[in-house]
Amino acid sequence: MDKKLYGLMAEFDTTTEVVKAAEQVRDAGYKKTDAFSPFPIHEMDEALGIKRSILSFLIFGGGITGLLTGLALVFWTHTIEYPIMVAGRPHFSFPAFIPPIYELTILFSAFTAVFGMLLLNGLPQPYHPVFNVPRFNLAMREKFFLLIESADEKFDYEETKKFMESLNPQEVHDVEE
Amino acid sequence: MHDLKEVQKKIYPPMVEGKHTFATVSDEIGDITLKKKTPFHWFIGFGIAFLIAQALLMTITYLLAKGIGIWGNNQPIGWAFDIINFVWWIGIGHAGTLISAILLLLNQKWRTSINRFAEAMTLFAVACAGMFPLLHTGRPWLAYWMLPYPNVMGMWQNFRSPLMWDVFAVSTYATVSALFWYVGLIPDLATLRDRAKNPFFKFVYGLLSMGWRGSARHWHRYEIAYLILAGLSTPLVLSVHSIVSFDFSVSQLPGWHATIFPPYFVAGAIFAGFAMVLILCIPLRHWYKMQDFITKTHLIYMGKVMLATGLIVVYGYFMEAFFGWYSENQYESYMIQNRIWTGPYWFMYWLLIFCNGISIQFLWFKRFRESEFWLFVISVIVSVGMWLERFVIIVTSLHRDFLPANWAMYSPTMFDWSMFLGTIGFFFTLIYLFVRFLPIISIFEVRTLLPDAHVEDHGHAHEHVGDEATA
């Protein structure tokens, strides 16, 4: 091998097979693993031991930021910087300020949801070693792939390859860096 | 057991018909975009729409040169086509968000095959809607004055004004809809990237899909983001049309100043939007042979939603008339009398009742719900009806208000019409481009509808017979 090995990838045909294989990989003690599927498989989170993402908390934080921004904007504008008297109502007439505050809350949360998701996923990432496997262009069409990275502590080329072949895959591919 | 399955199939009909695998789903939907030959009818449809869109361009050019005096609205009818069309378009957009967000939260799997182009419809409808108030400002190049920023004039916005609420609501709505749509597209763009033969399209789809590779960790966060976006869009869509209705109901004008406006407007928006979704998807499924994914069941469900929301709208019409009478306020009761029978626009009102109230009654019957032809016809009638509704609400309330000395008649000018028709052309131009260059059905979500998508031997998988079918 002249090129550095990123890991080994096993290819599967069905959802059930890949989830069962992922469970065995997890039980064998591999940590740096990943699965690739053309649609989200809920069972995969548990099978691979994926912890719940902090994303929802980030979005909550984004929402709170939006709320406070909106509140600060209308409060500062209407009581400090540019008070306008409308129909003898208080300068800080909260019910009338709900719509802008509300919309800003949603706007900030939505931005956090999308950009937080992309950031945590490390996207955009045009290049990734898995794309070097020619069969991988079926990953977003119909096939399922299971990856063990060479950076894993337990990784040993021969042994891991033998282990992956025992999972009954269609094929085991070398993933070059 | 067999009987139970039959019954379940009847209650939860399959959402994907025919024998499909992950590969065939990906190819059939993806190939519409990737296949080299564009069907001839696409060029004809696109050509017509693009031609009509030129009317919009010319009108805007003339409008900017001359000012909004070229329109027919003048005191006391200060708002006419500009706001009628704004509300009409933005209402159409709302069905897209309802389908993509609210039905997702309600776990209605039938949304899956129609959400993509319904969301596209939302975006394009909001683009059309936004043009009207923007151009109605008269000097649209100063529209940024509506945004709160420290400026040399030392002036700030009045956040108590419903028109400022509109700025916030509509711009947030447009932004969030675009984000939601794009997030939904990422995995499908990756599918197209992997299948595209043309290096240019491969590059563009690759760029847009941002290197999506279907990693389980990515899917995990993706689903959280997608679900929360749906959760955010749901109150957003309700708030947007409520705020649009505040434009009217916060004023003191008879016919506008009514508490029923927010729910009545939201129902009307969804009603009009579903009509537009049907108008778009009935021809689409034929032209692109998508009957396996957009099944008869989908059309029937949409017909039912249209009937339900239509009945809420009809209830709104009754309530408006009831308010007029029960208020014992001479201006309120004169308004409703003027609107319904003594005024010059009475025929508009009854046309509206025919379009929105009577035509939808046919949807009670299976024969009409199951007929594509009738669904299409009723949808067109409803679209016209919803436009008339806004016309009636806006023009008949304004043209005879408190002081008879102020009364006037309104009639649109040629430029009102050319601008309105122009936005319809613009809308369909965008729809045609979307159909040509992006997957019209969410491929990755349709894959999850297939029985193969379910993991077997995980305890409950077998007991839920209906699970794979729908529900």
Side-chain angles (χ1 to χ4, degrees), chain A residues 15 33-35 38 93 140-141, chain B residues 27 160 215-217 447 452:
Chain A
T15 326
T33 57
D34 206 348
S93 35
M140 282 310 293
R141 179 164 176 254
Chain B
D27 297 351
R160 295 182 192 89
S215 151
R217 288 186 169 74
R447 287 188 196 115
D452 293 347

Side-chain angles (χ1 to χ4, degrees), chain A residues 13 15-16 19-20 23 31 33-45 48-53 55-56 59 73-74 76-78 81-82 84-86 89-93 95-97 99-100 102-104 106-107 109-111 113-115 117-118 120-126 128 130-131 136-142 144, chain B residues 21-24 26-27 148 154-161 164-165 168-173 175-176 179-180 182-183 186-188 190-191 193-195 202 207 209-225 228-229 232-236 239-240 243 246 443-445 447-448 452-458 460:
Chain A
D13 265 352
T15 326
T16 313
V19 170
K20 280 190 180 154
E23 280 168 353
K31 292 276 185 300
T33 57
D34 206 348
F36 302 90
S37 57
F39 54 86
I41 306 171
H42 296 256
E43 289 83 352
M44 192 56 92
D45 293 352
L48 272 185
I50 298 173
K51 285 196 203 87
R52 197 179 154 78
S53 168
L55 184 59
S56 19
I59 299 172
L73 174 70
V74 294
W76 181 80
T77 306
H78 278 306
E81 174 68 16
Y82 201 72
I84 317 173
M85 179 59 74
V86 177
R89 301 214 173 88
H91 285 311
F92 187 72
S93 35
F97 295 147
Y102 181 83
E103 301 300 338
L104 283 177
I106 289 187
L107 186 67
S109 322
F111 273 128
V114 175
F115 293 109
M117 184 269 285
L118 293 177
L120 291 173
N121 282 350
L123 298 174
Q125 186 185 8
H128 191 274
V130 291
F131 289 123
F136 194 74
N137 64 6
L138 297 176
M140 282 310 293
R141 179 164 176 254
E142 53 172 337
F144 304 87
Chain B
T21 63
F22 300 132
T24 60
S26 315
D27 297 351
M155 285 178 53
W156 284 85
Q157 288 73 20
N158 179 9
F159 292 109
R160 295 182 192 89
S161 161
M164 269 317 290
W165 302 347
F168 277 79
V170 175
S171 53
T172 301
Y173 184 54
T175 313
V176 174
L179 288 174
F180 200 26
Y182 183 61
V183 166
I186 292 173
D188 286 358
T191 302
R193 168 199 68 201
D194 292 345
R195 261 180 78 69
K202 205 177 177 65
L207 205 65
S209 65
M210 299 197 280
W212 183 264
R213 52 187 189 273
S215 151
R217 288 186 169 74
H218 291 185
W219 278 124
H220 170 76
R221 296 185 193 107
Y222 180 90
E223 288 225 290
I224 294 177
I228 293 182
L229 274 179
L232 292 168
S233 302
T234 301
L236 175 65
S239 81
V240 170
I243 289 174
F246 288 160
I443 307 175
F444 86 92
E445 283 176 294
R447 287 188 196 115
T448 64
D452 293 347
H454 289 261
V455 179
E456 284 166 35
D457 282 343
H458 266 259
H460 55 275

Side-chain angles (χ1 to χ4, degrees), chain B residues 106-151:
Chain B
L106 296 176
N107 205 14
Q108 295 292 314
K109 296 225 163 118
W110 60 278
R111 71 174 268 290
T112 301
S113 357
I114 52 172
N115 72 335
R116 172 66 46 74
F117 72 81
E119 282 169 40
M121 178 192 83
T122 297
L123 275 180
F124 305 153
V126 172
C128 290
M131 266 183 250
F132 287 98
L134 195 68
L135 292 168
H136 193 201
T137 58
R139 287 181 286 171
W141 50 92
L142 297 178
Y144 65 90
W145 283 3
M146 287 183 284
L147 302 175
Y149 71 100
N151 53 62

Side-chain angles (χ1 to χ4, degrees), chain B residues 208-413:
Chain B
L208 291 174
S209 65
M210 299 197 280
W212 183 264
R213 52 187 189 273
S215 151
R217 288 186 169 74
H218 291 185
W219 278 124
H220 170 76
R221 296 185 193 107
Y222 180 90
E223 288 225 290
I224 294 177
Y226 201 64
L227 198 66
I228 293 182
L229 274 179
L232 292 168
S233 302
T234 301
L236 175 65
V237 68
L238 300 178
S239 81
V240 170
H241 226 63
S242 299
I243 289 174
V244 168
S245 82
F246 288 160
D247 291 348
F248 305 100
S249 57
V250 169
S251 78
Q252 307 287 319
L253 199 72
W256 286 5
H257 191 59
T259 47
I260 197 170
F261 261 45
Y264 163 49
F265 265 54
V266 170
I270 290 161
F271 181 47
F274 266 84
M276 188 54 95
V277 175
L278 279 168
I279 290 174
L280 294 177
C281 86
I282 290 173
L284 264 184
R285 72 193 277 269
H286 277 286
W287 289 343
Y288 291 104
K289 309 214 167 19
M290 288 288 116
Q291 283 98 333
D292 282 357
F293 306 116
I294 305 171
T295 64
K296 268 259 161 76
T297 318
H298 287 94
L299 303 183
I300 293 169
Y301 283 3
M302 284 191 266
K304 285 180 180 171
V305 174
M306 217 160 77
L307 176 62
T309 47
L311 291 173
I312 301 175
V313 172
V314 172
Y315 171 77
Y317 301 148
F318 278 120
M319 276 332 268
E320 278 188 324
F322 176 77
F323 284 161
W325 168 72
Y326 194 71
S327 66
E328 294 223 323
N329 174 306
Q330 60 165 323
Y331 300 109
E332 286 283 346
S333 62
Y334 177 74
M335 181 281 302
I336 204 75
Q337 200 185 333
N338 179 55
R339 182 180 285 180
I340 296 177
W341 75 91
T342 61
Y345 295 108
W346 65 271
F347 62 95
M348 295 293 252
Y349 184 82
W350 289 104
L351 208 55
L352 143 76
I353 295 295
F354 165 76
C355 291
N356 287 356
I358 298 173
S359 77
I360 55 161
Q361 303 306 328
F362 291 102
L363 293 173
W364 289 105
F365 304 103
K366 222 176 173 179
R367 230 190 97 206
F368 291 93
R369 277 204 309 265
E370 288 186 350
S371 146
E372 279 174 275
F373 173 76
W374 285 113
L375 273 178
F376 189 81
V377 169
I378 293 174
S379 302
V380 173
I381 296 177
V382 165
S383 296
V384 175
M386 285 309 293
W387 187 87
L388 285 170
E389 179 199 299
R390 278 71 182 243
F391 184 92
V392 166
I393 291 176
I394 290 157
V395 174
T396 65
S397 302
L398 283 169
H399 92 120
R400 289 186 177 173
D401 60 0
F402 307 98
L403 286 176
N406 254 343
W407 291 2
M409 285 293 288
Y410 169 74
S411 56
T413 64

